[in-house]
Amino acid sequence: NFRGPYINIPVFSSLRKLSSSVLKKVHLTSKIEGRLNLKMLESSAFPMDNPMPSPMESQFTPSRYKGNHPGAGFFHLIFKVLAWLIYMFGETFLGRNYIFIFVVVVLLLAADFWVVKNVTGRLMVNLRWWNDIKEDGTSNWQFESGDMDAVHSFDSTFFWTVLYGSVVLWSLNLVASVLGSWKYLPLVTVAVLLGSANAMGYTKCRTDAKKRLQDWLTNNAVDMITRNPDMLKSAAMTGMGTLKNFAMSRGSAPTTGP
């Protein structure tokens, strides 16, 4: 037990000196660590002119899907692949169970038809179609289209290639079934019809979207000319002046004899 101010003061002063020396060491250590970190950043292992890729950039590596909708691209393909593989190799791995193979393939084709018609087309190419059946039995095609400039080129190429490619593949299987065994002819016919329906619907939808865009541009041009007749006059005068200058230059060009 320390008693009296003459004993406590030296003790406190020594503690104060000890704490100040510890703080100086900690400060010096933090300075050294900061300089080391700065040198590591400036070294060749972490070049500043070639920064680390962000998670968004590292997602689109050459070995992965290059479009904006990899999930939609996966579901755009997976049902088609599974249906075709079970059709081709179902009897080899599942036995000669025709009813089971028929039901599974038809369910996969129906799931693919619904996903392509309602999900992947809207996400990957900004298109959507449906067909309304009226009371008199006639069909009415309905189309929706979004901003086509926002569609990623890889998404569009992947969508149309897989869509048309599946129809071509099932059509070849249909020809093989007609020329060979007719056992799976109804199943292949269902696959061709469902795939062709989606291909036809999206082809008409794309044509309709292009037509709407052309009509919109034409109407805007006509409206602009109607509201600004001086613009048409100036354009005509400019065109006439260009033609006149061209004719004068052709007339004043030197002719070479034989």
Side-chain angles (χ1 to χ4, degrees):
N1 296 326
F2 297 102
R3 296 179 182 177
Y6 300 102
I7 300 178
N8 286 336
I9 291 174
V11 171
F12 289 150
S13 61
S14 61
L15 288 176
R16 192 179 300 110
K17 290 180 181 178
L18 179 62
S19 62
S20 62
S21 62
V22 170
L23 289 175
K24 286 180 181 179
K25 289 182 180 179
V26 170
H27 183 65
L28 181 61
T29 305
S30 62
K31 271 187 175 182
I32 294 173
E33 289 180 353
R35 289 177 182 176
L36 288 176
N37 291 332
L38 183 60
K39 288 183 179 179
M40 289 177 66
L41 287 175
E42 293 175 351
S43 63
S44 59
F46 299 95
M48 299 304 291
D49 56 347
N50 188 17
M52 297 289 290
S54 63
M56 185 63 70
E57 293 173 351
S58 62
Q59 181 181 359
F60 302 107
T61 57
S63 61
R64 297 185 182 182
Y65 188 86
K66 298 178 182 178
N68 292 335
H69 301 284
F74 172 78
F75 285 105
H76 186 64
L77 181 64
I78 186 62
F79 293 114
K80 297 178 178 66
V81 173
L82 290 177
W84 188 80
L85 289 177
I86 293 175
Y87 165 74
M88 291 296 295
F89 307 105
E91 291 188 353
T92 303
F93 297 101
L94 302 176
R96 296 182 176 274
N97 193 341
Y98 173 79
I99 297 177
F100 178 76
I101 294 175
F102 187 92
V103 170
V104 172
V105 173
V106 168
L107 289 177
L108 289 172
L109 292 172
D112 175 73
F113 177 82
W114 186 88
V115 168
V116 174
K117 179 177 177 293
N118 296 293
V119 181
T120 60
R122 181 173 55 84
L123 293 176
M124 299 177 72
V125 290
N126 278 347
L127 298 174
R128 185 169 175 262
W129 69 272
W130 67 93
N131 196 355
D132 291 334
I133 306 298
K134 296 182 179 180
E135 295 180 356
D136 55 357
T138 58
S139 61
N140 184 23
W141 291 87
Q142 300 288 336
F143 305 112
E144 284 184 359
S145 59
D147 185 10
M148 304 305 295
D149 294 333
V151 176
H152 196 279
S153 59
F154 186 86
D155 285 332
S156 177
T157 303
F158 185 84
F159 178 85
W160 294 109
T161 302
V162 173
L163 183 64
Y164 291 138
S166 64
V167 176
V168 172
L169 184 61
W170 282 111
S171 299
L172 295 175
N173 290 330
L174 179 63
V175 174
S177 298
V178 171
L179 298 177
S181 175
W182 288 22
K183 181 179 179 180
Y184 286 99
L185 183 61
L187 178 60
V188 181
T189 304
V190 171
V192 172
L193 290 176
L194 290 177
S196 300
N198 259 331
M200 183 183 301
Y202 276 111
T203 302
K204 288 187 174 183
C205 188
R206 180 170 61 174
T207 305
D208 181 76
K210 291 181 179 179
K211 184 177 179 299
R212 287 183 183 179
L213 179 61
Q214 291 176 356
D215 293 342
W216 181 79
L217 292 175
T218 304
N219 293 334
N220 278 353
V222 172
D223 185 62
M224 187 181 297
I225 292 172
T226 304
R227 292 183 179 180
N228 302 301
D230 295 336
M231 182 185 298
L232 181 61
K233 256 184 218 180
S234 62
M237 295 295 294
T238 304
M240 290 177 64
T242 304
L243 290 175
K244 184 177 179 181
N245 293 333
F246 179 74
M248 291 177 63
S249 63
R250 293 283 293 181
S252 60
T255 57
T256 58

